[in-house]
Amino acid sequence: MTELLQQLINGLALGAIYALIALGYTMVYGVLRFINFAHSDIFMVGAFAGYYLSRVAPQASVTAGVFVLLGSMAICALLGVIIEKLAYRPLRGRSTLTALITAIGVSLLLQNLGQRVFGANPKSFPVLFPQHYFQFDSGLVIASTQILVFVVTIVLLFSLRHIVLKTRIGTAMRALSFNPTAASLVGVNNDRVISFTFALGSALAAAGGILYASNYPSIDPLMGTLPGLKAFVAAVLGGIGNIAGAAVGGLVLGLVETTVVALGGSTYRDAVAFAVLILILLLRPNGLLGKRQAEKV
Amino acid sequence: MVAAAAQGRLMGALLELSDCTLRFGGLTAVGNLSASVGERSLMALIGPNGAGKTSVFNLITGVYRPTAGEIRFCGQSLVGLKPFQITKLGIARTFQNIRLFPSLSVFDNVRVAFHLHLKHHSVSSLTRLPSFHAEEREIANRTTELLEIFDLARVRDEPAKSLPYGNQRRLEIVRALATQPKLLLLDEPAAGMNPTEKIELTRLIRAVQERFAISILLVEHDMQVVMNICERIVVIDHGVKIAEGTPAEVRANPQVIEAYLGEEVPAAAVTG
Amino acid sequence: MLPRSQLALLGALAGIAVVSFFSGSYDPYFLDVAVSCGINITLAVSLNLINGYTGQFSLGHAGFMGVGAYVAAMLTTAASATLLPLLGGQHWLLFAVALLAGGLGAALAGLIVGVPSLRLKGDYLAIVTLGFGEIIRVVLQNIDAVGGPRGLIGIPAYANLFWAFGLAAVAVYVVWTMVNSTYGRGFIAVADDEIAAEAMGINTTRYKITAFLVGAFFAGLAGGVYAHFKQYIAPQGFGFDRSIEIVVMVILGGMGNTTGVIAAAILLTVLGEWLRQFGDFRMILYSLLIIVLMILRPQGLFTWSLPQRKAG
C-alpha cells in the first residue's frame, strides 16, 4: 500500500512537470497548428537561467526560490517571443513541413549554442528552496522538491485557467485557435496574441525546467530532448490543442512511466513514451480529450 | 426526352440507392434516400444549400460509408468498398472545390487517371521493355486525344494550377473521363462561371454524354443548366428526397418551390 | 536495343568503374569525401522518393540505414566464416550478399514503419517516423550481440568508390524511372491530394507502402556500404541527427527533384567537411543554415516554384 502511494506521488510529481511543458506545445499548436520542436530547448534554457540566477540570490530560501523561478520564467518568455518573431513569423502560411524543419533548426541551434556558451559538461543545479524530506512511519518519503512541484504546478495551472477563460487576451487565444481569419476580422491582433501564447508557453516550460532541475539536479545543454519529447507525447495523449488535455496527458504519462520503472523495466523507461505515442496515434489520434477533425471533401 | 428517360429506366438501373442514410452523431446528413440512375442518362440532384447533395456523392464514391441502406452499381454493392475500388468499377467524379494535382502538368493530371487501366506497374517502369514503351505511347495518345476534345491540348505542359478557373473545371472533367467511367458525377461544375461559360459547359456536358455513352449525375445550383440538360431531377432538402421527375414535373412541384423559398426561386418555376 | 535510361545507367556504371579503378592514385582525403558523397546521394535520393515524391514526411530514414548497416556488417564479420566458403571464397560476392540482406532487412523495417503510418498525415506522420527511428536506435543499443552502445568494429573494408557511386547510380535510376512513367505520376498524385487520387482510381495505400519499401531498401544498401567504408558503426550514428541531415539534403535539393537532390547531397557533404575546421561552430552554422534556408528558400536551391502542398 505504501509502495503504491509512493509510486503514485512519484508519478504525479514527474507527470506534473511533463504537464507544464506539454501546455506550451499544446497552446502553440492550438493557435498555429504547429509543433514547436524547439520548445524542449526552452525548457533547458529555463533550467540554466535558474542556475545562473541562483548565483545572484542567497541560497535556499523561499524568496530566493521564487525570485529564481519568476526570473527564469521571464527570461524564457522573452526568448520564446524572440524566436517566434525571427524564425516562425516569416513562415506563417507556408507548408507545415517548412515550419517543422525550421523548428528543428531552432532546436539544434539552441542546443549547440548552449553547448558553446554553457559548456557541454553537466552542471550541478543548486538547491533553491529549503530542502526537507518528510518521512512517514509507513516508509513513505516525500521530498520537499516534490511538494514544490505540486504547489507550483497547481498555482500555474489555475493562473493559466484564469488567463484563458477570464481575460480578454485569453479569449482572443481561444478565438484564434478556432478560426484565425474570423478572429482577425473581429479585431483580434493575431500577431500579438501569438506572441503572447509563445511567451506563456515558454514561461511554463521554464518553470518545468526549474522544477525538473530541482528534482534531478544535473543539467546540461541536451537535457531538453527526452523530457521535451515525453511532454509532447503527453500533449498528444491528451489531445493536442486541448489545454486540459495537456495537463491530463502529462499526469497519465508520468504515472505510466513510473509504473514501468517500478515493475522493473527501467532500461525501457524512455521507450515507454514512444510506445504510448505510437499507440495513441494509431488508436485514437485525437487524444483522450480531443475531438475528431474531419476533412471536408 | 421523356421517352429516352423511360427507356433508360427500362434498361435497368446503373446506379441504385436504396434507403440510404448517413448520420454524423446526431446530425442526419442523408435520410432514407432511394433513387436510381439509368444507363446513358443525364440526371441532376438539386436542393437548397446544405441539403446533403455532396454527401450523397461522397456516399456513392465511398468517401463516407452509409449508416444504413444499400448502394448498388451494375448490381454490385458499393458499401464498404474503398474509393479507388469504386472508381475501378466505373464511377468517376469531380469535386465541388476543384481538386486538381497542383504539382502535375495539365497533361499529367489526365495521364495519371489512366492508371486504372494500366497493364504495367512498378517493376515494368524499371525494366522498360518494349511493351512498356508501347503502352506509354498509347496512353500519351489517348491523353492528347482527350485534351484536344476539350480544347486543352495547347496548354498541356502548363502546371494545372496556372489555368484560368473555367479551364480548371474542364480539366477536372477530362481527368475524370480518363478513368473510363460508366457513370460520371459532377459536383457543381458550373460554380463560379459566367453565363457564357455556363452555356459552353451545358454544350460540353451533353456532348460528353453522347460521345462517351455514359450516364451523368449532376449536382448543381444553376437551374438553367439543370433544366437545359437533364432528363430527370431528384430534389433533396435536409437530406431527404422531396421530389423526383422530369424538369417540368419538378418545376411545378409545390414542395420544391417551398424548399427554395427564401433562396433563389427557380426562374423557370415562375413561368411554370 | 536497350532503352535510353538503361543505356545511361550502364554508361554511368562503366564510367564509375573506370574512375574507381584508379583509386590508388587519388588523394585519400578526396576519396573519403567522394565515397561519402556517393553514400549520401543514395540516402537522399531514396528519402526523396518517400518525402519528396510521395509526400510522406519521414524523419526516421537513418533508422533504415542503421538496419542495413548492422545486418550487412554482421554477415561479413560474425557470419563470414560460414558464408565465405559457400560463396567460393569470393569477398566481393560476400559483400554483395551482405548488402542485399541489409537492404531487405531495411525494407522490412520500412514496411513495419510504413503500414501503421498510413493514415497519418503531416506533423503526426513526421513524429511517428521519428519515433520509429529512435526505437530502432534504442533497440540496436540494447543488443549486446552486435556490440550494444559501443558499436561494431573490425568490419572489412569492402566498400570503395565503385560500390558507393555504383549504388548511387542504381538508386537514381530506380527512383527516376519509377516516378517518370504513368504509374509513377501516381506517387505525386498521392502527395498532392490523396482524396482526389483515390477518386481517380489510385490505390494510395499501395503507393505509400511501395515508397517506404523502396526508399528503405536503398537506405539499407547505403548503410551497408557505409559500414564497410568506415569499418566501425555505432547506434548513435543512425539517430535523429543523421535523419535530419538527410532530410535537409532533400529539402535543399527541392522535394521531388532528383537532380536537385543529388546536387544538394554533394553540396552538403562537401560543406559538412569544410565546416569541420570550425569545430564547435560547425553545428551552430549548420542549424543557422537550416533556419535561413527554410525562411528564404523553402523550395530548395534547385527548384523554381514554391512547395504546392499544404500538408497536415
Side-chain angles (χ1 to χ4, degrees):
Chain A
M1 187 58 202
T2 330
E3 187 56 34
L4 193 67
L5 207 55
Q6 181 75 69
Q7 291 309 331
L8 194 69
I9 295 186
N10 292 346
L12 286 176
L14 184 63
I17 296 175
Y18 289 156
L20 285 176
I21 309 172
L23 282 166
Y25 279 118
T26 230
M27 287 196 295
V28 167
Y29 190 85
V31 297
L32 278 181
R33 294 287 177 272
F34 158 66
I35 299 175
N36 183 8
F37 236 80
H39 190 61
S40 55
D41 302 290
I42 297 189
F43 158 88
M44 176 270 291
V45 172
F48 274 91
Y51 175 82
Y52 288 109
L53 278 176
S54 72
R55 301 235 185 117
V56 179
Q59 279 278 330
S61 65
V62 177
T63 20
V66 172
F67 164 73
V68 170
L69 184 64
L70 291 178
S72 163
M73 286 171 72
I75 291 175
C76 285
L78 186 61
L79 180 63
V81 169
I82 292 175
I83 291 177
E84 191 273 323
K85 185 130 195 220
L86 291 181
Y88 300 151
R89 194 173 294 184
L91 298 170
R92 227 118 8 104
R94 303 251 204 95
S95 86
T96 39
L97 178 63
T98 310
L100 188 72
I101 301 295
T102 309
I104 292 175
V106 173
S107 171
L108 287 175
L109 185 65
L110 286 174
Q111 284 175 4
N112 286 291
L113 274 178
Q115 287 188 306
R116 186 98 188 115
V117 172
F118 304 139
N121 291 321
K123 290 183 167 42
S124 185
F125 197 76
V127 176
L128 295 175
F129 291 86
Q131 195 162 54
H132 208 68
Y133 287 93
F134 298 95
Q135 296 193 312
F136 296 85
D137 293 327
S138 50
L140 187 67
V141 181
I142 304 181
S144 60
T145 43
Q146 289 181 313
I147 297 186
L148 183 69
V149 170
F150 292 131
V151 169
V152 172
T153 307
I154 291 176
V155 169
L156 288 178
L157 277 181
F158 271 98
S159 311
L160 183 69
R161 186 166 188 278
H162 176 84
I163 292 176
V164 171
L165 291 180
K166 301 271 170 41
T167 64
R168 281 188 60 181
I169 195 146
T171 315
M173 272 173 68
R174 283 183 290 141
L176 241 188
S177 73
F178 284 127
N179 191 329
T181 325
S184 67
L185 284 176
V186 298
V188 170
N189 184 337
N190 285 9
D191 282 348
R192 199 175 283 170
V193 174
I194 292 174
S195 289
F196 181 75
T197 310
F198 269 86
L200 210 54
S202 303
L204 290 172
I210 301 277
L211 292 174
Y212 187 87
S214 296
N215 279 286
Y216 309 98
S218 167
I219 63 173
D220 70 273
L222 299 180
M223 68 184 277
T225 318
L226 229 32
L229 188 72
K230 293 175 186 176
F232 172 71
V233 175
V236 172
L237 178 62
I240 192 137
N242 184 316
I243 290 181
V248 168
L251 291 175
V252 169
L253 191 65
L255 285 170
V256 170
E257 188 178 323
T258 316
T259 312
V260 167
V261 173
L263 292 176
S266 60
T267 32
Y268 289 100
R269 84 177 296 163
D270 295 337
V272 168
F274 293 122
V276 169
L277 177 71
I278 291 172
L279 279 174
I280 265 284
L281 286 180
L282 294 181
L283 299 176
R284 209 191 146 93
N286 294 296
L288 297 172
L289 301 182
K291 289 182 295 259
R292 299 230 70 202
Q293 294 262 24
E295 186 178 349
K296 176 145 208 255
V297 180
Chain B
M1 258 229 287
V2 178
Q7 191 175 37
R9 280 273 214 76
L10 282 172
M11 287 197 289
L14 186 66
L15 174 75
E16 198 158 345
L17 285 90
S18 318
D19 268 324
C20 253
T21 304
L22 177 66
R23 267 192 280 270
F24 295 114
L27 175 72
T28 303
V30 177
N32 293 100
L33 183 66
S34 294
S36 63
V37 181
E39 291 194 33
R40 300 213 205 98
S41 58
L42 271 165
M43 223 170 99
L45 182 63
I46 67 174
N49 274 322
K53 309 185 291 289
T54 302
S55 295
V56 174
F57 268 20
N58 288 337
L59 277 174
I60 299 172
T61 52
V63 175
Y64 298 145
R65 194 194 167 117
T67 325
E70 180 60 69
I71 305 177
R72 286 187 174 278
F73 184 70
C74 296
Q76 182 171 352
S77 173
L78 298 183
V79 176
L81 290 184
K82 296 180 125 201
F84 80 91
Q85 292 170 314
I86 293 179
T87 310
K88 216 175 178 129
L89 289 175
I91 303 180
R93 74 174 289 177
T94 63
F95 293 89
Q96 195 173 3
N97 306 313
I98 303 180
R99 285 179 175 256
L100 290 172
F101 300 123
S103 304
L104 295 176
S105 65
V106 166
F107 184 79
D108 276 343
N109 260 274
V110 176
R111 176 184 171 206
V112 76
F114 274 107
H115 170 268
L116 261 182
H117 307 279
L118 272 180
K119 287 186 219 66
H120 291 99
H121 293 287
S122 46
V123 179
S124 321
S125 308
L126 296 179
T127 52
R128 307 240 148 172
L129 297 170
S131 54
F132 167 82
H133 286 287
E135 194 179 35
E136 288 288 293
R137 266 196 303 273
E138 195 202 320
I139 290 178
N141 288 337
R142 285 161 81 179
T143 305
T144 313
E145 225 179 275
L146 266 179
L147 287 174
E148 271 164 7
I149 298 172
F150 289 80
D151 198 29
L152 288 169
R154 324 164 259 114
V155 290
R156 47 182 279 161
D157 292 319
E158 307 275 325
K161 59 177 166 56
S162 71
L163 290 184
Y165 183 80
N167 279 357
Q168 282 191 21
R169 282 224 171 263
R170 293 226 307 273
L171 179 58
E172 236 203 345
I173 298 178
V174 179
R175 187 182 63 172
L177 285 172
T179 63
Q180 291 163 38
K182 299 195 195 80
L183 171 65
L184 180 61
L185 306 176
L186 300 176
D187 201 341
E188 301 200 31
M193 286 188 176
N194 62 46
T196 324
E197 289 174 322
K198 287 187 191 181
I199 295 174
E200 177 59 40
L201 180 76
T202 313
R203 200 184 55 77
L204 192 69
I205 293 177
R206 271 212 225 101
V208 163
Q209 196 268 328
E210 254 178 60
R211 181 185 179 128
F212 295 95
I214 57 178
S215 291
I216 297 183
L217 177 60
L218 201 64
V219 157
E220 189 44 69
H221 271 300
D222 186 312
M223 289 309 144
Q224 292 282 29
V225 172
V226 171
M227 301 292 171
N228 280 337
I229 37 177
C230 295
E231 304 149 353
R232 285 193 77 75
I233 301 176
V234 168
V235 188
I236 66 174
D237 189 17
H238 291 104
V240 175
K241 179 162 81 174
I242 59 173
E244 180 175 358
T246 64
E249 289 166 3
V250 163
R251 253 187 248 141
N253 187 312
Q255 278 182 291
V256 174
I257 298 174
E258 193 191 317
Y260 274 91
L261 228 90
E263 295 211 11
E264 181 193 318
V265 178
V270 177
T271 55
Chain C
M1 195 55 198
L2 286 175
R4 244 183 10 195
S5 45
Q6 289 181 350
L7 282 175
L9 176 65
L10 289 174
L13 287 174
I16 294 169
V18 169
V19 173
S20 176
F21 188 69
F22 296 102
S23 296
S25 48
Y26 303 141
D27 174 62
Y29 180 66
F30 159 81
L31 212 55
D32 222 64
V33 177
V35 173
S36 292
C37 279
I39 294 172
N40 284 337
I41 290 175
T42 306
L43 287 169
V45 164
S46 58
L47 182 62
N48 196 23
L49 178 63
I50 303 175
N51 277 18
Y53 286 117
T54 320
Q56 304 295 104
F57 296 10
S58 176
L59 290 185
H61 211 57
F64 303 139
M65 182 190 179
V67 170
Y70 269 90
V71 169
M74 285 308 287
L75 285 181
T76 56
T77 51
S80 64
T82 20
L83 286 177
L84 205 50
L86 290 174
L87 298 166
Q90 297 292 340
H91 286 269
W92 68 267
L93 198 55
L94 176 65
F95 186 41
V97 168
L99 278 186
L100 203 62
L104 290 174
L108 182 63
L111 196 65
I112 295 174
V113 173
V115 170
S117 312
L118 288 175
R119 56 184 126 149
L120 298 173
K121 300 215 173 65
D123 289 355
Y124 285 153
L125 178 61
I127 300 296
V128 165
T129 49
L130 195 158
F132 271 115
E134 287 301 285
I135 288 178
I136 291 177
R137 184 185 57 79
V138 167
V139 166
L140 285 173
Q141 216 160 296
N142 281 308
I143 303 180
D144 278 324
V146 298
R150 299 174 321 280
L152 200 59
I153 57 169
I155 306 174
Y158 289 148
N160 59 19
L161 209 59
F162 174 73
W163 285 102
F165 276 96
L167 177 62
V170 172
V172 169
Y173 172 82
V174 168
V175 172
W176 196 89
T177 53
M178 258 181 89
V179 173
N180 286 293
S181 61
T182 304
Y183 161 81
R185 300 283 97 180
F187 288 108
I188 303 175
V190 169
D192 274 357
D193 193 327
E194 265 187 62
I195 293 177
E198 284 263 339
M200 295 304 121
I202 293 171
N203 184 341
T204 53
T205 304
R206 199 187 254 171
Y207 272 94
K208 289 189 208 177
I209 299 211
T210 304
F212 265 103
L213 275 177
V214 176
F217 177 69
F218 278 100
L221 292 177
V225 173
Y226 175 83
H228 293 81
F229 168 59
K230 295 280 189 206
Q231 298 184 265
Y232 162 71
I233 54 176
Q236 302 85 278
F238 302 113
F240 181 59
D241 284 339
R242 169 81 69 174
S243 289
I244 288 299
E245 264 179 45
I246 310 172
V247 169
V248 173
M249 285 177 201
V250 170
I251 294 180
L252 188 68
M255 312 256 285
N257 178 345
T258 302
T259 28
V261 165
I262 296 173
I266 297 175
L267 184 64
L268 282 173
T269 310
V270 171
L271 189 69
E273 283 303 319
W274 183 74
L275 284 178
R276 236 182 256 286
Q277 62 186 304
F278 296 111
D280 282 343
F281 278 110
R282 177 170 174 257
M283 279 310 288
I284 295 178
L285 288 174
Y286 185 70
S287 40
L288 277 172
L289 165 74
I290 296 177
I291 298 172
V292 166
L293 179 67
M294 296 322 291
I295 294 178
L296 294 182
R297 226 182 141 86
Q299 69 268 34
L301 289 182
F302 308 101
T303 313
W304 309 121
S305 51
L306 280 174
Q308 291 312 314
R309 312 153 191 161
K310 285 260 188 102

